[in-house]
Amino acid sequence: EVQLVESGGALVHPGGSLRLSCAASGFSLTSYTMNWVRQAPGKGLEWISCIMGTIGTTYYADSVKGRFTISRDSAKSSLFLQMNSLRDEDTAIYYCARDYSGSSLGYWGQGTVVTVSS
Amino acid sequence: DIRMTQSPSSLSASVGDRVTITCRASQIITSYLHWYQQKPGKAPKLLIYGVSSLQSGVPSRFSGSGSGTDFTLTISSLQPEDFATYYCQQTYSTPRTFGQGTKVEI
């Protein structure tokens, strides 16, 4: 059974850093593209990053490019999101999600809350 | 970047109604169009992938159609558990953009 469990969310000051983790089970991280999607309070879904399965190529939304880094540790079956230079507008629930057929996001974690505030 | 525009942003409907939500892409995205349902406080759930393929376990009252840049999600007979927010997403290219969402209310 595929399971994704995020952790690492916290309250952080503007300009600070945070590292989110997503523990994956039931599949190999290197076989699927993994994504991070966030949702600001009361707002819609925003795709922010993905890492391709076999090659490991990474992609980012413009809103986080240069500040956030996606990575994975296949031995630990974990996906990460390193977030630097955090801003108020980065406040959101952060979800990790795994690709399914046609690059749809077929499996989601429960989310972890990041609050950026002074 | 490909812009995804959903309409309407919200709608009011009754149990048993037929509901249609549209999603327009700013450029051709072939079949890389997917629909998600999200209920308050919950993670999104994949409903339909590749324009019209029903995810396992999703009731057959949900259907998807369309091609090119224009796509539709239809709920043939709205049930109480279908009141939620629905999002389309394109994965034709990165960034893998979502529509702004359509809230289906009673």
Side-chain angles (χ1 to χ4, degrees):
Chain A
E1 179 190 5
V2 172
Q3 285 197 331
L4 300 169
V5 180
E6 302 94 336
S7 61
L11 170 63
V12 61
H13 291 160
S17 297
L18 203 59
R19 189 195 200 203
L20 304 184
S21 300
C22 172
S25 59
F27 67 98
S28 170
L29 273 186
T30 54
S31 296
Y32 295 91
T33 296
M34 295 296 295
N35 304 262
W36 286 99
V37 175
R38 69 183 180 184
Q39 186 169 36
K43 302 298 184 182
L45 301 173
E46 180 187 15
W47 177 91
I48 58 172
S49 183
C50 73
I51 181 167
M52 307 301 277
T54 49
I55 304 173
T57 307
T58 58
Y59 299 91
Y60 299 92
D62 286 347
S63 58
V64 304
K65 198 174 295 182
R67 300 188 300 124
F68 290 11
T69 303
I70 189 172
S71 63
R72 67 189 180 193
D73 183 333
S74 55
K76 294 183 179 179
S77 200
S78 290
L79 177 73
F80 305 103
L81 186 68
Q82 177 66 43
M83 304 187 295
N84 298 329
S85 303
L86 282 162
R87 306 166 179 167
D88 290 352
E89 55 265 34
D90 295 320
T91 294
I93 300 171
Y94 285 74
Y95 297 101
C96 67
R98 198 203 87 175
D99 265 26
Y100 183 63
S101 181
S103 304
S104 60
L105 276 53
Y107 299 92
W108 295 70
Q110 83 289 350
T112 189
V113 177
V114 173
T115 304
V116 184
S117 175
S118 54
Chain B
D1 297 1
I2 298 175
R3 181 181 178 89
M4 306 299 291
T5 304
Q6 282 181 240
S7 60
S9 296
S10 65
L11 66 90
S12 296
S14 301
V15 172
D17 284 354
R18 181 181 182 88
V19 169
T20 298
I21 299 168
T22 63
C23 179
R24 174 165 287 177
S26 60
Q27 64 186 73
I28 291 173
I29 56 172
T30 62
S31 61
Y32 291 92
L33 186 284
H34 322 293
W35 291 96
Y36 304 86
Q37 176 193 66
Q38 187 180 33
K39 296 182 179 180
K42 300 292 187 182
K45 169 188 170 184
L46 177 66
L47 289 180
I48 290 172
Y49 60 92
V51 178
S52 59
S53 295
L54 206 61
Q55 171 68 321
S56 176
V58 173
S60 59
R61 62 181 179 271
F62 290 93
S63 63
S65 63
S67 63
T69 61
D70 294 317
F71 304 91
T72 299
L73 172 69
T74 300
I75 309 172
S76 60
S77 177
L78 198 66
Q79 297 302 300
E81 60 267 32
D82 301 337
F83 292 95
T85 301
Y86 295 84
Y87 296 91
C88 63
Q89 183 202 24
Q90 66 80 21
T91 57
Y92 180 79
S93 66
T94 56
R96 294 176 155 187
T97 41
F98 287 92
Q100 80 278 15
T102 296
K103 187 173 184 179
V104 176
E105 301 174 293
I106 300 174

